[in-house]
Amino acid sequence: MCGMTEPKAPKIEFPCDYMIKVIGNAAPDFTEFVVSVVEVHAPGIKESDISVKDSSKGRFASVQLIIRATGEDQLKALFEDLKASGRVHMVL
């Protein structure tokens, strides 16, 4: 093991297109809610950059979006706002 180093996460070059996936309880307004929070941090989301899937039993929904990421601070603030809402279980 001599000389081996821990692999580092790849460095993200900003600005870039960045995919996020938001999972929460299924509700008629969940997608609109997610988009409204994301728009605060990354305005200009196109309808074609959003996809929604419901879980097999319909209890959960996942909203996948492609945003224009400008930096780590933007992503951190976005993730914190989504999680602070109480409606979001996970942000990937």
Side-chain angles (χ1 to χ4, degrees), residues 33-55:
F33 161 75
V34 170
V35 171
S36 69
V37 173
V38 172
E39 278 279 341
V40 170
H41 299 278
I45 298 168
K46 297 183 292 238
E47 185 99 16
S48 59
D49 290 338
I50 303 168
S51 67
V52 181
K53 289 185 183 170
D54 291 326
S55 65

Side-chain angles (χ1 to χ4, degrees), residues 47-79:
E47 185 99 16
S48 59
D49 290 338
I50 303 168
S51 67
V52 181
K53 289 185 183 170
D54 291 326
S55 65
S56 60
K57 294 188 176 160
R59 290 183 54 217
F60 302 101
S62 75
V63 180
Q64 190 170 296
L65 309 99
I66 298 173
I67 65 167
R68 190 70 180 161
T70 57
E72 288 182 28
D73 290 342
Q74 172 207 34
L75 294 176
K76 184 178 179 193
L78 170 57
F79 284 31

